[in-house]
Amino acid sequence: MTTKAKLLAVSLDCQEPKTLAEFYHAITGWEITYAEDEYAAVSDGTTSIYFGRIAEREPVAWPSPNKQFHFDFRVPDVERAAEEYVALGATRPEFQPGVTEEGTRWIVLQDPAGHAFCVCPEPS
């Protein structure tokens, strides 16, 4: 039997760790547990998102085959959340595969460092 692992954290490379910690704190409500120029973190007490400074890191365009990951967050109102997150520093790319004539299933955004993330509706 394979040893089962629990996710402790996800680490993101970025140019400004404190800025990204503040952004994710604002959208998740998770506590900023560490904030320095080289390294920062947010946590819900169980799982953390770490941010490490890589001065040369360049954002990946969306859409792109170079995207390595993205977060999916559930929100009660997808359009409202997207508007609020853009006001906090996210960007909303033009290409939106989750927005169709039938309605909005999810919205792709990019955080202030250019990492893609999706805002998704609560389950119905």
Side-chain angles (χ1 to χ4, degrees), residues 9-81:
V10 175
S11 297
L12 304 183
D13 296 339
C14 61
Q15 292 181 348
E16 298 179 17
K18 289 194 306 189
T19 299
L20 227 48
E22 291 165 2
F23 176 80
Y24 281 99
H25 162 71
I27 72 166
T28 64
W30 289 12
E31 179 183 352
I32 297 174
T33 56
Y34 194 82
E36 298 294 333
D37 289 339
E38 296 295 316
Y39 186 77
V42 296
S43 179
D44 69 352
T46 302
T47 306
S48 300
I49 306 173
Y50 300 145
F51 310 98
R53 184 173 185 280
I54 303 293
E56 308 80 28
R57 185 193 174 276
E58 295 291 329
V60 175
W62 168 256
S64 167
N66 296 323
K67 176 180 69 74
Q68 296 177 331
F69 77 95
H70 71 273
F71 291 119
D72 291 331
F73 293 105
R74 289 207 184 274
V75 296
D77 183 325
V78 172
E79 288 290 346
R80 179 177 175 185

